[in-house]
Amino acid sequence: MSTEWVRPSWGGLVLGSCVLLQPLSVAAAPIDWFSDDFETGALIAPEGRWDNARSISPNTLVSGAEGAHRGQYGLTLIDRINSSASEFQGSADVERTPLTSEFFLRSWMRLRDVGTPGRVVAIQANPVKVELRLLTPGPIWELAVRKGTEQTYASLHGARVEQDRWYLVEFSARGLGTTNGEARLWVDGVEQGSTSELATLSRIDWREANYVLEWFQVGEPWTDQGFFTGSIDFDDVRVSATPMASRLRLQQPMDAGASPGCIAVNVSLRNSATGALAPAPYDTEVSLSTTTGEGRFHADESCKSPVERVRLSTGSFERRVYFHPGGPPGMVTLAASHPDFLPATLQVEGDGTSVGDADGGAVGPWTMGLGCTSAPGALVSLPVLLWPWWRRSLRGRPAAATRQE
């Protein structure tokens, strides 16, 4: 492979066939209140990130391979106690400078080897007491919050929790220190709770001094019944004062130009709370593929530099790539994936007319299936997209398309 650096017109760097895509927008690296991917293999600081980790024998709390959703390690609580006592069973704890306005918490979670179901608290934010619970029967997700001067609890209920399935679970508390507090829960990016429950967890009275986040626990910091036995896995736990990235998104930029048959696509990270752009918490390698149909992603708008991945560097929101459809005309589903974020897909389709690309493959004047045929840009670009097909029709036989440099 050549070791000569080349700077192409689209603003990236090419080392032989290795393309490093440059960011469309970059912010300062996000400052998390707390984060742990457990990849140190340790729990307690300084090797680990937690201030304390303990469990009641014979329960265990370990960082190991069994609890990993991404990478080599995750956190696993194994509860072997079946009794009628309501008490602490085991948790990892951490304390930081208090968040006094709002906070957002996310973690990948999995339930395994459940012998006896029971009501347990899996994540607890303190002293405000915003709790993610596993509630029987089912079990189902529950978000419970303490409120008012009487410090009573209100809650909302979510979807059923299946064993041996990873979930991205997120919850937020906003309006701390006010009478207009709000708590929300998302599971795999979908907001949980009925309309009445969401109303109950709005306009919460959080004026008391203890309604702040100073420390939190994951594991099983409390059980209401003591009957639960089984394992709870946690990975990529993060807490922040602002909404965090939870999902990938693929979207066609409305103002982007590209050569005929080459489609511009933005790859971005979004949060669950508002759907807005969210910064990458670390250098994130996103895999690009097609789930139906054929074609290749490229780094440049001329579709000459194929790529299979795109890097979202720490603090960046979005990258632009270009897709060149291949094979017979029809629907193609683009996909973007990363193990720490919910995946994204986007469908593109052709007009049924095929032309050849530079490699002799069949491609066509493809457009995004956005249902916006009245847009002026679509009409203006139509002659450009159809020109290769018209030229071939005049020749009367297929031929390789000539790229305009």
Side-chain angles (χ1 to χ4, degrees), residues 359-373:
D359 299 322
V363 298
W366 298 70
T367 58
M368 303 301 294
L370 298 178
C372 48
T373 55

Side-chain angles (χ1 to χ4, degrees), residues 156 183-187 189-193 198 273:
L156 62 80
R184 291 291 183 263
L185 170 67
W186 297 268
V187 177
V190 178
E191 186 167 18
Q192 306 292 294
L198 292 173

Side-chain angles (χ1 to χ4, degrees), residues 200-221:
T200 300
L201 295 192
S202 298
R203 298 183 180 178
I204 301 172
D205 184 355
W206 271 334
R207 287 176 295 175
E208 298 294 310
N210 61 340
Y211 290 136
V212 297
L213 174 62
E214 293 181 356
W215 55 285
F216 80 102
Q217 304 167 276
V218 300
E220 197 178 345

Side-chain angles (χ1 to χ4, degrees), residues 195-333:
T195 301
S196 60
E197 289 173 333
L198 292 173
T200 300
L201 295 192
S202 298
R203 298 183 180 178
I204 301 172
D205 184 355
W206 271 334
R207 287 176 295 175
E208 298 294 310
N210 61 340
Y211 290 136
V212 297
L213 174 62
E214 293 181 356
W215 55 285
F216 80 102
Q217 304 167 276
V218 300
E220 197 178 345
W222 188 255
T223 172
D224 290 342
Q225 299 168 321
F227 297 138
F228 175 80
T229 59
S231 299
I232 308 175
D233 297 321
F234 303 83
D235 203 357
D236 287 298
V237 178
R238 289 198 284 277
V239 184
S240 178
T242 56
M244 293 173 286
S246 62
R247 63 169 63 249
L248 291 161
R249 184 176 180 182
L250 294 173
Q251 185 178 29
Q252 183 193 24
M254 301 304 294
D255 59 346
S259 61
C262 197
I263 303 168
V265 179
N266 285 351
V267 183
S268 62
L269 282 170
R270 305 276 172 159
N271 70 65
S272 293
T274 65
L277 290 166
Y282 49 82
D283 287 350
T284 304
E285 294 281 350
V286 179
S287 297
L288 304 172
S289 63
T290 60
T291 59
T292 62
E294 301 177 20
R296 302 183 75 178
F297 287 90
H298 295 78
D300 61 309
E301 63 184 15
S302 297
C303 284
K304 291 184 176 181
S305 302
V307 293
E308 295 181 350
R309 290 174 298 276
V310 59
R311 172 176 290 183
L312 296 170
S313 57
T314 304
S316 67
F317 303 95
E318 195 169 52
R319 295 290 187 276
R320 181 165 297 168
V321 294
Y322 298 85
F323 183 74
H324 198 232
M331 191 72 67
V332 180
T333 302

Side-chain angles (χ1 to χ4, degrees), residues 41-356:
L43 288 178
I44 305 302
E47 292 82 6
R49 300 297 310 278
W50 302 84
D51 296 333
N52 191 24
R54 63 194 189 282
S55 59
I56 296 177
S57 181
N59 297 350
T60 58
L61 185 73
V62 296
S63 176
E66 281 192 338
H69 174 260
R70 178 180 69 93
Q72 299 183 60
Y73 302 107
L75 175 66
T76 298
L77 170 83
I78 302 178
D79 185 345
R80 297 183 174 92
I81 298 174
N82 186 344
S83 70
S84 59
S86 296
E87 58 185 10
F88 169 91
Q89 300 297 336
S91 72
D93 313 344
V94 69
E95 183 174 358
R96 294 287 187 271
T97 303
L99 295 178
T100 59
S101 176
E102 60 185 13
F103 66 86
F104 300 80
L105 190 151
R106 54 151 277 167
S107 176
W108 284 95
M109 290 181 59
R110 179 176 61 176
L111 204 59
R112 291 187 291 119
D113 303 324
V114 176
T116 307
R119 299 178 57 172
V120 302
V121 175
I123 301 178
Q124 187 177 70
N126 298 295
V128 61
K129 287 294 187 295
V130 177
E131 301 174 346
L132 177 68
R133 302 177 178 180
L134 296 167
L135 180 65
T136 54
I140 62 173
W141 301 106
E142 179 186 34
L143 184 68
V145 303
R146 192 171 61 180
K147 61 186 181 70
T149 56
E150 300 83 4
Q151 299 189 3
T152 57
Y153 274 93
S155 64
L156 62 80
H157 303 94
R160 180 184 176 89
V161 185
E162 299 177 6
Q163 288 197 59
D164 302 313
R165 182 189 185 284
W166 281 102
Y167 295 89
L168 178 60
V169 185
E170 308 168 87
F171 63 85
S172 68
R174 311 183 76 166
L176 300 176
T178 75
T179 58
N180 198 33
E182 175 187 89
R184 291 291 183 263
L185 170 67
W186 297 268
V187 177
D188 288 342
V190 178
E191 186 167 18
Q192 306 292 294
S194 65
T195 301
S196 60
E197 289 173 333
L198 292 173
T200 300
L201 295 192
S202 298
R203 298 183 180 178
I204 301 172
D205 184 355
W206 271 334
R207 287 176 295 175
E208 298 294 310
N210 61 340
Y211 290 136
V212 297
L213 174 62
E214 293 181 356
W215 55 285
F216 80 102
Q217 304 167 276
V218 300
E220 197 178 345
W222 188 255
T223 172
D224 290 342
Q225 299 168 321
F227 297 138
F228 175 80
T229 59
S231 299
I232 308 175
D233 297 321
F234 303 83
D235 203 357
D236 287 298
V237 178
R238 289 198 284 277
V239 184
S240 178
T242 56
M244 293 173 286
S246 62
R247 63 169 63 249
L248 291 161
R249 184 176 180 182
L250 294 173
Q251 185 178 29
Q252 183 193 24
M254 301 304 294
D255 59 346
S259 61
C262 197
I263 303 168
V265 179
N266 285 351
V267 183
S268 62
L269 282 170
R270 305 276 172 159
N271 70 65
S272 293
T274 65
L277 290 166
Y282 49 82
D283 287 350
T284 304
E285 294 281 350
V286 179
S287 297
L288 304 172
S289 63
T290 60
T291 59
T292 62
E294 301 177 20
R296 302 183 75 178
F297 287 90
H298 295 78
D300 61 309
E301 63 184 15
S302 297
C303 284
K304 291 184 176 181
S305 302
V307 293
E308 295 181 350
R309 290 174 298 276
V310 59
R311 172 176 290 183
L312 296 170
S313 57
T314 304
S316 67
F317 303 95
E318 195 169 52
R319 295 290 187 276
R320 181 165 297 168
V321 294
Y322 298 85
F323 183 74
H324 198 232
M331 191 72 67
V332 180
T333 302
L334 313 183
S337 62
H338 184 276
D340 196 14
F341 305 100
L342 300 171
T345 60
L346 179 68
Q347 287 189 326
V348 298
E349 60 181 351
D351 67 350
T353 304
S354 65
V355 296

